[in-house]
Amino acid sequence: APPADVWSVITNYEAMPELIPNILSNVVHRDAAGGGGVTIEQESRLSRRLNLIVSMQLQAIEHPERWTLDLRRTGGHGFLELEAKYVLSPRGDGSTYLSYEVELVPCPIFPLPLVERKMRKEVPKMLSAVAEASRRGSAGRTF
């Protein structure tokens, strides 16, 4: 899909639970003064079997001129640190290459191997869902 369609999907924070099934709740606060600031309060299930829930506050920092989106943990529990970055790279054929990078430090109560397995399993699903929603958007349909 074109970069603008991918961008509209990854910055539609209110619709993230539709794309990422392990998000249990998602409350978005947009800067009413028009400064563009976005804060996301989110609860996600890390493990159904162990009933591990992560709750965090994220700050979204958009750089549409560079097609990059940074997400930073500013509060919550489950992770001591979390920084994620989406980078969109337009291609000559009109499509977009989307990369996603995440660096995190889980709380000591969450076993690191469990967190790593979950990330390896969920991130590809999330990127596939973004790709599908972007293609639907570029075809004139919304998700």
Side-chain angles (χ1 to χ4, degrees):
D5 290 342
V6 178
W7 184 258
S8 70
V9 170
I10 66 170
T11 58
N12 186 354
Y13 311 110
E14 292 84 355
M16 281 296 141
E18 296 172 36
L19 294 176
I20 306 169
N22 64 322
I23 294 178
L24 303 174
S25 68
N26 193 62
V27 178
V28 179
H29 304 279
R30 295 184 183 269
D31 181 8
V38 178
T39 302
I40 306 161
E41 295 177 27
Q42 194 172 82
E43 281 197 352
S44 302
R45 184 179 311 277
L46 188 59
S47 170
R48 183 176 304 280
R49 188 172 57 92
L50 300 175
N51 197 30
L52 296 177
I53 306 294
V54 174
S55 176
M56 51 182 169
Q57 187 175 27
L58 298 168
Q59 177 186 22
I61 304 155
E62 299 177 4
H63 302 282
E65 70 285 353
R66 295 192 316 245
W67 297 116
T68 62
L69 170 63
D70 296 310
L71 297 169
R72 291 195 182 112
R73 177 197 172 276
T74 58
H77 65 80
F79 295 110
L80 300 175
E81 297 178 29
L82 184 139
E83 291 190 11
K85 181 178 209 149
Y86 290 93
V87 178
L88 286 70
S89 301
R91 293 180 167 170
D93 65 358
S95 67
T96 305
Y97 179 81
L98 175 64
S99 65
Y100 177 77
E101 176 183 317
V102 63
E103 294 182 19
L104 55 86
V105 177
C107 285
I109 63 167
F110 294 136
L112 187 57
L114 172 83
V115 174
E116 288 176 338
R117 271 194 315 274
K118 186 68 169 180
M119 290 294 149
R120 290 183 202 286
K121 181 180 174 184
E122 296 302 324
V123 168
K125 289 181 189 178
M126 175 192 69
L127 292 175
S128 292
V130 168
E132 182 58 32
S134 299
R135 284 192 289 271
R136 285 195 309 266
S138 68
R141 296 183 300 269
T142 60
F143 66 99

